[in-house]
Amino acid sequence: MDFLNTALTFPTVIFSVLLIIVIIFWLVTIAGLADIDMFEADVEIESQTNAATSGLFNSLGLTDIPLTVSASLMIMSSWLISTYAQTWFLPNENNNLYYLFGITIMLVSSILALPITSILAKPLKRFFTSKETATKNDFVGLECVIATSKVTDTFGQARVTFQGTEQLVEIRIQDDTHQFNLGDNAILIEHMSENHSYIIAPKPWA
């Protein structure tokens, strides 16, 4: 009951709500109804107008993984820090300084979550395509394994092994004559620069 009381009261309740949204997002993604890179285009545009923030995230290595992953790690870290800080340092709710301390805990939790997120993100980098080490045509002709429950002309992801490392790429189909399901094998046959994805086809020797 003490844990629930902490998680559902200010300031931790703010992070609790965000954490619930993150959990729902990943459940929807696992079901194949959302794209792990769905916010990347917006972030690239925003980063051009905010060089300071972009530089900070670059120095922490958070631009090497999808925004959805780094945001999830940051929210989880902030929630954990806020939970313990609220338990140990927040005065009684009747105290006049309660909300001032609460806002301070929120800010400090968010700041401390940045380096923690950077540490947690480091081992995950190898699972995602690096724009610096892989050109758009490096994967064409390689075999991939479907990583989503379905693939359409607007949605789909697959895992491909490149230079000894398994990476996640966006995939699409040109028509629906062949249906791909989770775990199926396919071939990357063409790169589409407009949406940074690859057209796939069934393995000819399958």
Side-chain angles (χ1 to χ4, degrees):
M1 291 303 297
D2 289 339
F3 168 77
L4 289 176
N5 182 61
T6 301
L8 299 177
T9 55
F10 182 82
T12 304
V13 66
I14 305 297
F15 295 118
S16 295
V17 171
L18 293 175
L19 187 62
I20 290 172
I21 294 173
V22 165
I23 293 172
I24 293 174
F25 170 78
W26 285 108
L27 290 175
V28 171
T29 301
I30 291 172
L33 302 177
D35 192 334
I36 194 173
D37 292 323
M38 61 188 302
F39 301 115
E40 292 302 306
D42 294 334
V43 172
E44 289 178 4
I45 294 174
E46 184 67 24
S47 65
Q48 294 175 0
T49 62
N50 196 334
T53 302
S54 178
L56 174 62
F57 275 66
N58 242 342
S59 63
L60 292 172
L62 299 181
T63 56
D64 298 328
I65 61 176
L67 173 66
T68 50
V69 177
S70 58
S72 299
L73 292 174
M74 185 170 178
I75 290 171
M76 181 184 68
S77 300
S78 299
W79 180 80
L80 285 171
I81 296 170
S82 179
T83 298
Y84 284 105
Q86 181 174 338
T87 302
W88 293 339
F89 303 115
L90 196 65
N92 188 279
E93 196 167 353
N94 296 324
N95 192 302
N96 293 331
L97 298 177
Y98 177 84
Y99 287 101
L100 178 60
F101 273 81
I103 293 173
T104 303
I105 286 175
M106 282 183 59
L107 294 175
V108 172
S109 297
S110 300
I111 294 171
L112 293 178
L114 282 171
I116 294 175
T117 301
S118 177
I119 294 172
L120 295 175
K122 285 182 180 178
L124 300 178
K125 292 179 184 178
R126 65 189 184 90
F127 294 108
F128 301 100
T129 302
S130 171
K131 295 180 181 178
E132 289 73 28
T133 59
T135 65
K136 64 182 181 180
N137 292 318
D138 281 335
F139 295 157
V140 174
L142 296 181
E143 183 177 342
C144 64
V145 179
I146 309 303
T148 50
S149 59
K150 64 178 180 179
V151 182
T152 69
D153 58 354
T154 59
F155 172 80
Q157 292 181 324
R159 300 192 183 281
V160 57
T161 300
F162 177 74
Q163 296 181 348
T165 301
E166 187 179 70
Q167 302 186 25
L168 194 66
V169 297
E170 293 295 315
I171 56 172
R172 304 290 185 264
I173 57 173
Q174 289 181 318
D175 55 63
D176 56 1
T177 55
H178 186 95
Q179 297 296 320
F180 293 93
N181 300 308
L182 180 66
D184 289 348
N185 293 321
I187 298 295
L188 304 174
I189 62 171
E190 180 184 350
H191 179 263
M192 300 177 64
S193 58
E194 62 271 17
N195 57 9
H196 307 290
S197 64
Y198 292 85
I199 297 296
I200 63 170
K203 289 172 56 178
W205 56 86

